[in-house]
Amino acid sequence: MDAQGRGRAGDNNVDPADQWVFDPNTGNYELRLDHAGQAPARPADRKTAGSRRAAGKSGGDTDTRPLPTQRARGDESADADEPPGGGRASRRAAGSRAAAAAAGPASRRKRKPKKSGKQKVLYWTAGVVGFVLVAGCGGAFYLYQQLNGNISKVDVGVENDAVSDGPVNVLIIGTDARSGKGNSGYGDAGSVGHADTTILMHISKDRSNATALSIPRDMITDIPSCPTKQKDGSTKNIPGERGVRFNTSLGQEGRDPGCTWRTVEKLTGLKINHFMMADFNAVKSLSTAVDGVEVCAGKDLNDPKSHLKLKAGRHIVKGEQALAFVRTRHAIGFGSDLDRIKMQQQFLSSLIRKLKSSAFSSPGKLYDVSQAATKALTVDTGIGSANKLLDFGTDLKKVDIDKVTFATVPVLDNPDDPATVILNKTAADPLFAMVRADHALAKGKKGKGKKSAPAKKAPPEQVRVDVTNGGGPIGSAQETVDWLQNTKAAKLSTNAGNAPAKLAATRLEYAPNQADQAATLADWMGLPKSALKKSSQNTGDRVPMKLTLGKDFKAPGSPIEAPTETPDGVQNVNADDKNVCAK
């Protein structure tokens, strides 16, 4: 009889949860298939799986005592690390010796681990399963080999290592495919599975923060041509399209996740490391596995399309009701997809908090969530196994929930089609630059010390500048002058042609009495302090400043230096904000 009172380890009804062992030396649960060296639990401590899981559901399972393990079944019971003369008898003897050594005097109290299992087992990461398990439990997977069979893979022609030294960009796709068990009856039964919900999760190089960019499905964009692997092993190149909805980057014309991958890279300028895709079942199965997710309604919600009915206030949703919550849009805001994105961000933030606080309070719960997550996943080959997912998640475990920010790629109404939107480049370009520069999204800079007073700025009509091209794209000087005159009302700007020499970095030369003009132009152009070159002497009122566009110049309105604060017009919410309610 094993320590959990379940019969022999070789029985076919072994509960996988019993093979998770808490190691007090590391503070982590670990998978052990042989209980040599593990002290058996005292008879009074024995619980059945049902009682342990029931306690976990009620929030009462915070036991961090070492749990006994079971031997693997059948041929798997032969362990390469087994001592000579192994077998059941020797293992029992080893277990008895370990138990005797661990018992000690009857009055001796067990040494407390430094941190509870609940605290240490949660190796949380940003971006694990589809559009649901973002920033949740990826690193918590001490997975069985059997979970490998749950994971579906797509070869997108790029196989990056699971672990990277630099920033990590994970493309998370929620598809509206209606195929598969439990997916019938949702909307368009003929959907081939478009990119219905897409989030680009950027995790900083130092793993201190993460930014999740929601990309509107109805945004008009260009889709590049992409190679796709066919069932017979051949590769088919699918031609690109210009001026189409973003969601057609998947499914349409046979496009696979690699096409969405390439579309997002072209849109944002960010190199993607991995993708994860899930369908409607992910929301239902994961919300159920964590015993529900808390959401907030700022008013009574009744959406006949998604079948969501909620009274104003806070609610715990799971299964079908959770799916209805992330799909609803007709009962909130203006009824647009942008409003639905806000619902999804609220749900995801709450799910992250649930996963981080209590989802792994017991080995049984850890196993349930792991099963639900891996069954919901389709990933690239770079993370296409349980071991790779474990490595991937462990690498990203440092990100704290209050350092995760959800934001929506800024868009404008499409004047040619009210059912679609177009990219708001004025707000999107600095946002993308900010993420590319690995800056955390924040509404204000944080720091100690006295802040210097902002520089006085001249009005647009007083900004006088000669613009030369010293390394930017052809025509940049004239394009910049047109932008300054037509967009910024700086009528005293002039195209001075090509610079006498190429510059690696854009430079603005000005006199001390032109400091206010320089401050205005630097703000417009997004120039870093290193680009400003002040002379020692004042100059005449009609002498212009000199702006030389360097090789770092991309286009007028695109900042030379990435901003360190969230650009104006970018909707964003912190994942640790518990006061977000749907209205």
Side-chain angles (χ1 to χ4, degrees):
M1 186 72 78
D2 74 0
Q4 296 297 329
R6 302 211 182 188
R8 296 180 180 177
D11 289 349
N12 291 330
N13 64 347
V14 170
D15 189 335
D18 289 339
Q19 296 174 295
W20 299 100
V21 182
F22 182 80
D23 185 345
N25 295 320
T26 64
N28 297 328
Y29 283 102
E30 297 179 0
L31 174 61
R32 307 265 179 94
L33 300 181
D34 180 9
H35 57 300
Q38 293 295 314
R42 294 167 297 185
D45 295 331
R46 295 173 186 170
K47 295 182 180 180
T48 64
S51 64
R52 186 169 61 254
R53 286 178 178 169
K57 289 181 180 180
S58 64
D61 188 357
T62 56
D63 187 3
T64 59
R65 290 177 292 102
L67 299 178
T69 58
Q70 290 181 322
R71 287 167 38 213
R73 298 189 294 271
D75 295 337
E76 294 177 352
S77 63
D79 195 318
D81 295 329
E82 188 122 347
R88 184 173 301 174
S90 63
R91 284 194 297 272
R92 286 178 177 170
S96 298
R97 289 192 298 271
S107 62
R108 182 180 298 172
R109 294 184 178 179
K110 179 171 63 70
R111 183 178 62 184
K112 295 182 179 179
K114 294 182 180 179
K115 292 186 179 181
S116 70
K118 183 176 178 180
Q119 290 172 321
K120 295 283 286 185
V121 72
L122 186 59
Y123 277 176
W124 98 283
T125 173
V128 170
V129 79
F131 64 98
V132 191
L133 192 49
V134 186
C137 66
F141 290 157
Y142 283 88
L143 293 168
Y144 291 95
Q145 279 301 112
Q146 73 182 74
L147 297 185
N148 281 325
N150 294 344
I151 304 171
S152 300
K153 294 175 287 187
V154 173
D155 184 353
V156 297
V158 180
E159 185 164 352
N160 296 322
D161 292 338
V163 178
S164 170
D165 291 333
V168 176
N169 296 303
V170 185
L171 184 64
I172 301 164
I173 306 171
T175 173
D176 62 353
R178 269 67 178 179
S179 60
K181 184 178 180 181
N183 281 334
S184 60
Y186 298 120
D188 179 14
S191 175
V192 293
H194 297 113
D196 193 59
T197 300
T198 304
I199 296 174
L200 178 60
M201 178 71 79
H202 172 86
I203 302 94
S204 65
K205 180 179 180 179
D206 63 4
R207 307 300 187 254
S208 66
N209 64 85
T211 298
L213 298 179
S214 295
I215 303 175
R217 67 175 190 180
D218 296 323
M219 183 181 69
I220 299 300
T221 191
D222 297 337
I223 300 175
S225 59
C226 60
T228 60
K229 292 284 186 180
Q230 306 299 300
K231 291 182 178 180
D232 61 3
S234 63
T235 299
K236 176 183 178 182
N237 191 64
I238 301 178
E241 288 187 88
R242 295 179 63 85
V244 295
R245 292 180 190 242
F246 173 83
N247 68 343
T248 59
S249 63
L250 177 69
Q252 203 80 4
E253 309 298 334
R255 296 188 179 103
D256 66 9
C259 301
T260 307
W261 177 314
R262 291 167 174 82
T263 301
V264 174
E265 285 190 335
K266 182 177 181 180
L267 173 70
T268 64
L270 288 156
K271 284 293 182 182
I272 294 173
N273 300 83
H274 303 289
F275 88 86
M276 297 178 176
M277 184 173 68
D279 58 19
F280 292 129
N281 275 325
V283 183
K284 295 188 289 185
S285 60
L286 281 162
S287 61
T288 301
V290 299
D291 298 327
V293 175
E294 182 180 78
V295 296
C296 178
K299 63 177 183 179
D300 291 350
L301 302 179
N302 186 359
D303 188 344
K305 297 290 186 180
S306 70
H307 308 295
L308 177 69
K309 290 185 178 181
L310 289 178
K311 292 290 185 181
R314 298 186 180 275
H315 305 269
I316 302 296
V317 297
K318 60 182 177 180
E320 294 287 349
Q321 193 177 34
L323 178 58
F325 187 87
V326 299
R327 293 184 66 232
T328 198
R329 64 185 175 94
H330 296 285
I332 56 171
F334 295 103
S336 70
D337 182 55
L338 299 178
D339 293 306
R340 174 161 49 193
I341 286 175
K342 295 177 183 178
M343 299 285 280
Q344 293 167 353
Q345 291 175 349
Q346 182 196 155
F347 179 87
L348 292 172
S349 296
S350 184
L351 176 57
I352 294 169
R353 295 194 297 268
K354 183 67 174 285
L355 289 165
K356 188 168 177 62
S357 65
S358 62
F360 305 119
S361 57
S362 70
K365 179 60 64 178
L366 173 63
Y367 181 77
D368 291 343
V369 175
S370 299
Q371 281 280 11
T374 52
K375 286 180 179 179
L377 275 176
T378 298
V379 300
D380 61 282
T381 52
I383 51 174
S385 71
N387 288 336
K388 289 180 179 179
L389 274 176
L390 172 60
D391 291 341
F392 177 68
T394 302
D395 175 46
L396 307 179
K397 68 184 179 182
K398 296 179 181 178
V399 186
D400 292 324
I401 190 171
D402 63 346
K403 297 299 189 297
V404 179
T405 303
F406 284 93
T408 302
V409 171
V411 292
L412 301 169
D413 291 335
N414 186 357
D416 299 326
D417 180 5
T420 61
V421 293
I422 57 176
L423 185 69
N424 180 356
K425 284 185 62 64
T426 301
D429 285 348
L431 173 64
F432 296 152
M434 187 176 180
V435 178
R436 288 195 299 268
D438 213 19
H439 293 167
L441 262 64
K443 292 186 177 181
K445 296 180 181 178
K446 296 180 180 180
K448 298 181 179 180
K450 185 178 180 180
K451 294 184 178 180
S452 59
K456 181 182 177 181
K457 296 179 182 178
E461 62 271 15
Q462 294 181 9
V463 175
R464 188 186 297 268
V465 60
D466 282 350
V467 183
T468 59
N469 190 358
I474 296 175
S476 292
Q478 186 58 51
E479 185 181 5
T480 300
V481 169
D482 292 341
W483 179 76
L484 288 171
Q485 292 185 354
N486 300 326
T487 304
K488 299 300 181 181
K491 302 300 182 182
L492 299 180
S493 54
T494 305
N495 180 1
N498 292 326
K502 299 290 185 181
L503 295 180
T506 297
R507 184 170 65 198
L508 174 62
E509 300 172 75
Y510 65 99
N513 61 323
Q514 296 172 324
D516 55 347
Q517 297 181 48
T520 299
L521 186 60
D523 183 56
W524 290 343
M525 300 287 295
L527 299 178
K529 290 182 179 180
S530 59
L532 306 182
K533 306 297 180 184
K534 183 170 67 172
S535 63
S536 59
Q537 296 182 345
N538 289 333
T539 187
D541 292 340
R542 292 183 177 274
V543 176
M545 299 182 294
K546 295 181 180 179
L547 175 65
T548 305
L549 306 177
K551 293 180 180 179
D552 59 350
F553 178 80
K554 299 295 186 293
S558 179
I560 303 297
E561 182 181 49
T564 56
E565 298 184 13
T566 306
D568 292 338
V570 176
Q571 177 272 333
N572 65 94
V573 61
N574 188 275
D576 201 30
D577 188 348
K578 303 178 181 65
N579 298 315
V580 178
C581 293
K583 297 180 181 179

